[in-house]
Amino acid sequence: MPASGWPEGLRKLGLERPIDLLLHFPLRYEDESAVWPIARVASGQSVQLQVRVRSAKVVFRPRRTLLVEVEDETGRASLRYFYFKQSMADDFTEGREIRVIGEARLSLAGPEFVHPRVRSGWLSPEALATQPMLPVYPTTQGLAQATIRRQVGLALEKHLPEEWLPELSLAALGLKRLPEAIEYLHRAPALVGGVRQSIDAQGPEWNRIRVDELLAQQIALRRARRSRAKDRAPALNDAEGLADQLIKLLPFALTAAQKRSWQELRTDLTQERPAHRLIQGDVGSGKTVIAALAAAHALGSGCQVAVMAPTEILAAQLHSKFSDWMSSLGVEVVFLKGGLGVAERRRRHESVASGACRLVVGTHALIQKDVVFKNLGLAIVDEQHRFGVAQRIALREQQSAGHVAHIVGMSATPIPRSLAMTYLADLDVSVIDERPPGRKPIQTRLVSRTRRDEVLERLVHFLESEGQAYWVCPIIDEKEDAERAYAALSETEAWLRPTLGEKLQVLHGRMPAAEKAQAMARFVAGEARLLLATTVIEVGVDVPAARLMVIEQAERFGLAQLHQLRGRVGRGQGQSSCILMFEEPLSETARERLRALYETDDGFELARRDLAMRGPGELLGVRQSGEPSLRFSDLSRDQRLIEYAVDWAERHLNASGDLRSGANVSPEQVEALLNRWAYGRDRFLASV
Ligand code: ADP
Ligand code: MG
């Protein structure tokens, strides 16, 4: 454990040990050795300018903004700040020489920078050449990049793990040694012959990290399987017949695919062997109702049921859905989340412990140590790909009444079935490969941002005459830069508000949980007609009346994410549409991604195309499909590494996941590996 002096902000990010920090890699590197002439700046590019201030003024439209005009010999650019002190405005004196570092957007008036960083003075070519390449880390409010950099530096000096794989394997897979790989990724590539090298996303360094992660997971999975083989779960027979009652109460008939999945799952639940099944189905295919049936079945067998969701917004929504369904069956649903008052939390925990509460829905607050069930028979994990193996294991380790619970996951992630079987090893899979009847395909349009006004017009018309809509703001990693994400959202809000007034509701990750819940509730109730949101609405949100989605700067999203977002519409009767707004110029890959979305809305097909499209080096850091329990590896991209990890585990481990004798690694090395990747601890949270 680190001594005092461990910044609180690191803890907030879930980084508690030096090794956690060492595996907390930069999102990107800022190269301050190059200067761009304004005339050559392209949209979306991260650049450094050396410019002179022409003017700085505070304007009030669309909202209080500090607008700074700058120029170099080749052209003019503007800087915009929504959050600033007057002293900052005063500092931009006319003629002052500054460096501007940030990401450009092209507007009609030339390149524009929202909240760029500014440094005083210009640098000579010699000084430029020696500028360090600075890593930029995912961070949180109040934790400065400089602090992370300093702490990483300390960890690199004292806590680099040793290489433990044989040189031969490293050579065969073309991998860098572990300590060097870690150091390289943090320190950023050095100058090579005067030319800056960027880091290859499929290079020997990243791949070494991935192999480490994959091996840790293989070992953890095998051990989990061993403990599962010994475990007993209650055989559930739904003597009260609650599942059948629920089926009769539903306002719709199950699709054939839903029926099949439910049969498979129900058969699992009647066994003493703990179920561990994944219900896989594209967005909107109707997985929730299968979860509800399983819950009813377990309740009808006298057991408690827990339903876990990755975000509070989704958990709240599941809570209200389950409450609706279960109230007809006479079951009350308890909600468990972070941030409850001490007394309230204790009260809810007690009702879970006493068995008074039979069905509890919540976030990962459900798997905290102080939550003890009287008789948990079934645990359901929605959007399970958002949770790590460690959390699934934590859930499974919940023992009560001398048994473990059956576990069912729901996910839209199209992992090829064969891969799921070999790789996930301990998982059964049911696929819902059919959508509820009457769904019209979502009409997708690609529209340039220059036509934003037309989009607004169409939106207003749509809101007046028909349904509700979502407007998703450009993806700026909220974790990386909450300030900028918020600024982008505020800007769009300021632009929409005059037209929409109270019909507009904003939702973003920085709002306190209660406000988020209230915002969502206003939208679900139909009071708000347009939900302007960041990607917090990406998973699970289900409001069938919302039939139009606008995504700003769609070119910046990954394919899987766009598909998930688009899946928020097309959930009810009637025609739904999705407008993908983009900014020119589009890169070739961005163009292809958008075209793919235009051409199909089949998640499996999109996953195939995504893989075909993603060349090496493309878009590190964009979360792709796969198991994000894998932080750095990707099931579809890294097949070669996965094969190695699976093969390694076959050769070195016995059926229970223990080292075979004669293995060329020591038990201590294996423990260090598992420890490094924090198996058994509560982490890998994709919390929003
Ligand atoms: P997902 O698979 O993405 O979790 P949901 O379970 O949220 O999808 O279902 C999407 C919508 O479809 C919900 O509004 C749900 O009530 C509805 N639905 C589910 N099954 C059917 C069905 N068989 N017929 C009609 N509507 C259905
Ligand atoms: Mg869902």
Side-chain angles (χ1 to χ4, degrees), residues 337-369:
K337 56 174 184 171
L340 291 173
V342 179
E344 185 55 26
R345 201 178 68 211
R346 184 172 318 132
R347 203 181 65 75
R348 294 189 193 183
H349 285 184
E350 275 167 11
S351 79
V352 170
S354 72
C357 152
R358 297 169 66 193
L359 176 53
V360 50
V361 177
T363 57
H364 54 274
L366 278 174
I367 45 173
Q368 304 309 307
K369 293 230 164 11

Side-chain angles (χ1 to χ4, degrees), residues 307-318:
V307 183
M308 181 160 81
T311 69
E312 212 167 298
I313 291 174
L314 182 52
Q317 189 177 289
L318 285 175

Side-chain angles (χ1 to χ4, degrees), residues 284 287-288 314 318 382-383 410 539-542 568 571:
K287 297 182 288 289
T288 319
L314 182 52
L318 285 175
D382 198 15
E383 304 290 345
M410 314 270 149
V539 293
V541 168
D542 180 45
R568 298 308 113 222
R571 301 184 147 250

Side-chain angles (χ1 to χ4, degrees), residues 252-255 258 282-288 436 439 542 544 571:
F252 48 72
L254 296 180
T255 63
Q258 283 172 320
D282 207 353
V283 285
S285 60
K287 297 182 288 289
T288 319
R439 299 275 173 83
D542 180 45
R571 301 184 147 250

Side-chain angles (χ1 to χ4, degrees), residues 36-49 102-107 110-113 555 583-587:
W36 290 80
I38 290 177
R40 279 188 42 215
V41 170
S43 196
Q45 200 174 24
S46 279
V47 294
Q48 169 171 253
L49 311 175
E103 192 175 303
R105 291 200 211 172
L106 288 192
S107 72
E112 192 177 273
F113 295 79
E555 75 277 6
E583 250 179 71
E584 306 268 22
L586 281 179
S587 73

Side-chain angles (χ1 to χ4, degrees), residues 143-354:
L143 179 62
Q145 289 293 333
T147 309
I148 307 184
R149 287 181 195 134
R150 193 174 55 245
Q151 294 291 340
V152 167
L154 292 174
L156 283 171
E157 269 168 39
K158 295 207 198 114
H159 300 281
L160 267 181
E162 284 168 14
E163 183 51 76
W164 62 283
L165 287 175
E167 295 291 340
L168 267 178
S169 308
L170 298 182
L173 289 162
L175 304 178
K176 197 66 144 290
R177 290 167 48 82
L178 182 63
E180 281 100 75
I182 292 176
E183 181 154 23
Y184 182 86
L185 292 174
H186 284 291
R187 297 246 196 249
L191 278 168
V192 179
V195 182
R196 295 275 177 175
Q197 299 234 306
S198 67
I199 292 187
D200 179 359
Q202 256 73 254
E205 295 83 17
W206 272 120
N207 279 348
R208 177 63 191 87
I209 307 297
R210 295 186 181 118
V211 162
D212 218 52
E213 169 174 57
L214 289 164
L215 285 168
Q217 197 186 31
Q218 279 303 314
I219 298 169
L221 278 170
R222 279 171 185 255
R223 295 200 174 167
R225 189 160 40 163
R226 163 183 61 183
S227 70
R228 180 166 164 245
K230 287 195 304 241
D231 286 339
R232 288 286 158 268
L236 306 176
N237 289 304
D238 190 12
E240 294 178 43
L242 294 190
D244 286 339
Q245 278 184 44
L246 181 56
I247 289 183
K248 290 205 190 87
L249 285 167
L250 291 175
F252 48 72
L254 296 180
T255 63
Q258 283 172 320
K259 279 188 192 145
R260 185 166 13 89
S261 300
W262 169 228
Q263 279 309 333
E264 288 167 358
L265 177 52
R266 185 163 64 182
T267 308
D268 287 357
L269 297 179
T270 59
Q271 314 289 316
E272 272 201 332
R273 193 180 79 100
H276 195 206
R277 183 172 289 275
L278 176 67
I279 308 285
Q280 198 182 57
D282 207 353
V283 285
S285 60
K287 297 182 288 289
T288 319
V289 67
I290 304 300
L293 288 173
H297 183 94
L299 291 167
S301 317
C303 282
Q304 283 176 302
V305 176
V307 183
M308 181 160 81
T311 69
E312 212 167 298
I313 291 174
L314 182 52
Q317 189 177 289
L318 285 175
H319 174 251
S320 96
K321 258 198 181 170
F322 274 68
S323 299
D324 273 358
W325 282 327
M326 297 302 163
S327 64
S328 346
L329 305 179
V331 177
E332 194 199 336
V333 189
V334 170
F335 191 31
L336 208 53
K337 56 174 184 171
L340 291 173
V342 179
E344 185 55 26
R345 201 178 68 211
R346 184 172 318 132
R347 203 181 65 75
R348 294 189 193 183
H349 285 184
E350 275 167 11
S351 79
V352 170
S354 72

